[in-house]
Amino acid sequence: MIDDGDHLKVYLDNIEIHKGENKYVIPLSDIGVIVLDGMATSITTRLLAACSIYNVVLVICDKKHIPCGMYMPFNQHSRTVKIIRKQVNWQEDTKDELWQQIIEYKINNQSKVLYRFTGDKERFIQLQSYIAEIKPGDISNREGHAAKVYFNTVFGKEFSRSYDCIENAMLNYGYAIIRAYITRAIVSYGYNPSLGVFHKSEYNSFCLADDFLEIFRPIVDACVVNYLLESEEDIEFLSQEVRAYLVGMLSLRVRFDNQYQKISTVIDKFVLQCFDYLDSDIENKREVSNVEINTIEGIKK
């Protein structure tokens, strides 16, 4: 995460960061996402080119520290055209089945987050009951019904996702960071992030990333709630500490395929599982794995 006033450039195969009189050097191969936060940060075009080569995504924030843009590489895969043709021809029933799985996992994790932080067994059971009612493509919109119950229980009955408050600011910032990393994974596998499974808005350039983001949203929610509960003082609106905490989510560990792995690693593996599921050339498809959030580091068990 790069703050206001820093200068970035390339040094061999590294990023060189100048902060006042101090200089830091980090291998580009160790970086997945760079968050540029501040109106006075400068970056060289050589570094932009190097970020493309190393598949590093740049997230740009506005003056309120909210992510508002993204620079990412393209054509990093040797068979991009072939893969996108396959993507365009994904079968509708297969997409609906995948969306059903994603929403089932999302609501299941929402119910666990809700119960862990509120202890409301009645609402937990209500969310769990929605899972059995989800149909391919979620045509009955169980996701929407679950979201209303979930947010009103976790954040209060008066809460709305449209409010300008610290809770929503943290949620939106966290979602944007995860979304950027998902986009990075999509592009690295040769697919187009605009062509979604469920999201289809012509005004959204990252429909597919938003599809895959759904299963990771409860992770962000849990991290935000945990931070708010453990903060003993009033939180400064998206302070440097808060933003660093949210960017650091990518290094937290979750259980995936019976192993505890960093979220950044899980994103890559989950995205690839989804692509394999959507691939009509693959027989004997296995369902995608859930991202189990029971034991996130820093989240109370």
Side-chain angles (χ1 to χ4, degrees), residues 147-163:
K148 181 175 178 57
V149 173
Y150 171 71
F151 281 110
N152 286 346
T153 305
V154 174
F155 292 104
K157 292 184 179 180
E158 303 302 319
F159 177 79
S160 170
R161 283 287 289 127
S162 63
Y163 290 166

Side-chain angles (χ1 to χ4, degrees), residues 177-218:
I177 297 302
I178 300 294
R179 186 193 198 216
Y181 208 91
I182 291 173
T183 303
R184 172 185 184 269
I186 291 171
V187 173
S188 70
Y189 288 125
Y191 291 84
N192 189 313
S194 301
L195 305 177
V197 171
F198 176 80
H199 293 87
K200 297 181 174 66
S201 172
E202 62 184 84
Y203 305 107
N204 184 0
S205 298
F206 302 98
C207 290
L208 188 57
D210 287 338
D211 289 330
F212 297 157
L213 171 63
E214 297 301 334
I215 198 171
F216 294 95
R217 284 181 184 270

